[in-house]
Amino acid sequence: MTFASEVRSAVTPRAALLVVGVLALQLLFIASYVGALHDPKPSDVPFGVVAPGAAAERTADRLGTLPGGPLDPRVLPDEAEARRQIREREIDGALVVDPAGRTDTLLVASGGGTVLASALERIATEVERPQQRTVRTVDVAPASPDDFDGLSAFYLVVGWCVGGYLLASILAISAGSRPANTLRAVIRLAVLALSAILGGLGGAIIVGPVLGALPGSVAALWGLGALVVFAVGAITLALQALTGIVGIGLAVLLIVIAGNPSAGGAFPSPMLPDFWRAIGPALPPGAGTWAARSVAYFQGNAVSGALQVLSIWAVLGTVVTLVVSSLRRDADTPDEPVGT
């Protein structure tokens, strides 16, 4: 047998295509992570301005015309309203001007991202310095001292996402990438649901009572975790039902390559480039990270949108998995082998 024949026997066309796919995922991973995170800078950060009379509009105009457009200022009636909007996650910070003195108050929420809070403090200090004014920073929703750089919520959600797509992938590797009939699809979804409940509880206990990394309701984090795991696992099962073993790679593309760098973990969404900022809230890692921080630091405010996103992924994955499995012609055939 010639060397060329040996190569053709050792590397089948299917294997060659999978190798090319892995190479593509590798390069996309590098491009996505470096593209999203190599040069973080605030852009159009929702920001409140509280000042008496015409001074409010002047201050907002000055902040709105800063080089690079880091802030998207809006005039607010008073400090109480500014604090309310920060707690409701409608804005990320606010400047309260003191007309009687030379020290203004900057309101931030490091629970939503310590890097962003620090960036707002730096911007406010630089803006006030030419006016011979100083800034006093007040953290309205402070991150836990055991939550370094506010990253614990992100890592928690990443762990849940990994659990979701790994479980779905293991089901494919062990019993065939496509379920042979609807009953087997239901069984896989039931196993996924049970794992999601256990994984959500375990994650909530680890970051809360065990490590003390995140405050907030353990029950709320448990429910969020179960939803994240199930949503990611269900969409992975759906992709596998549609494309076979290739679905695992598509899940990695969706969740890991596109979802993680756009999730607002290392750098909150207002510090990401436009593309990643746009897709992040619509993907499970971004929706999960937003909701986890809301539960931990904002009394559960502003979680409805993120929960809706996760629910849509869960329902979509479940429906596609069941429909595709029901359309298979021979319900009595075994699951499709992974290697075919």
Side-chain angles (χ1 to χ4, degrees):
M1 182 177 289
T2 65
F3 178 74
S5 298
E6 290 285 0
V7 170
R8 285 194 295 270
S9 298
V11 183
T12 64
R14 177 183 174 86
L17 287 175
L18 290 175
V19 168
V20 172
V22 169
L23 177 60
L25 288 176
Q26 177 188 96
L27 298 178
L28 286 170
F29 184 99
I30 296 170
S32 184
Y33 276 72
V34 177
L37 307 176
H38 78 287
D39 186 25
K41 58 183 68 173
S43 176
D44 294 324
V45 179
F47 191 79
V49 176
V50 178
E57 290 293 344
R58 289 197 302 269
T59 303
D61 289 343
R62 186 167 76 252
L63 295 175
T65 56
L66 292 174
L71 303 179
D72 177 20
R74 67 284 310 268
V75 174
L76 301 178
D78 51 41
E79 181 176 342
E81 175 63 14
R83 287 175 176 266
R84 185 197 68 79
Q85 290 197 20
I86 291 174
R87 293 193 184 98
E88 294 287 340
R89 308 200 73 180
E90 297 173 14
I91 59 177
D92 292 304
L95 183 65
V96 181
V97 177
D98 179 9
R102 305 205 64 81
T103 299
D104 298 329
T105 301
L106 174 67
L107 304 177
V108 297
S110 63
T114 59
V115 177
L116 179 58
S118 297
L120 293 177
E121 186 173 10
R122 184 179 65 255
I123 292 170
T125 300
E126 293 174 354
V127 168
E128 296 280 75
R129 187 178 297 117
Q131 311 295 322
Q132 296 185 338
R133 302 182 68 85
T134 58
V135 174
R136 178 178 68 95
T137 301
V138 176
D139 202 335
V140 175
S144 166
D146 295 317
D147 181 12
F148 178 74
D149 271 358
L151 291 172
S152 296
F154 172 61
Y155 291 142
L156 173 64
V157 172
V158 167
W160 283 331
C161 289
V162 168
Y165 69 73
L166 280 184
L167 176 64
S169 300
I170 288 170
L171 289 172
I173 293 171
S174 63
S177 55
R178 292 187 176 103
N181 54 53
T182 304
L183 178 58
R184 294 185 187 179
V186 170
I187 292 172
R188 289 189 181 187
L189 289 166
V191 172
L192 174 63
L194 178 60
S195 177
I197 292 171
L198 296 176
L201 176 60
I205 291 174
I206 289 171
V207 301
V210 175
L211 298 179
L214 284 181
S217 167
V218 171
L221 287 176
W222 178 10
L224 172 63
L227 181 57
V228 170
V229 174
F230 187 83
V232 172
I235 202 65
T236 304
L237 288 176
L239 291 171
Q240 291 169 177
L242 289 168
T243 65
I245 198 67
V246 174
I248 296 176
L250 294 177
V252 170
L253 175 63
L254 182 69
I255 303 300
V256 179
I257 294 175
N260 285 355
S262 65
F267 302 109
S269 179
M271 302 189 74
L272 297 176
D274 291 341
F275 173 75
W276 287 270
R277 178 189 233 175
I279 67 172
L283 297 176
T289 299
W290 175 275
R293 284 176 172 162
S294 291
V295 169
Y297 297 119
F298 297 90
Q299 292 79 51
N301 295 326
V303 298
S304 60
L307 295 181
Q308 288 172 23
V309 167
L310 293 168
S311 298
I312 289 171
W313 282 110
V315 171
L316 178 63
T318 300
V319 170
V320 170
T321 300
L322 294 175
V323 168
V324 172
S325 65
S326 70
L327 294 177
R328 301 204 63 179
R329 291 184 180 179
D330 188 355
D332 295 325
T333 59
D335 290 358
E336 177 190 280
V338 173
T340 61

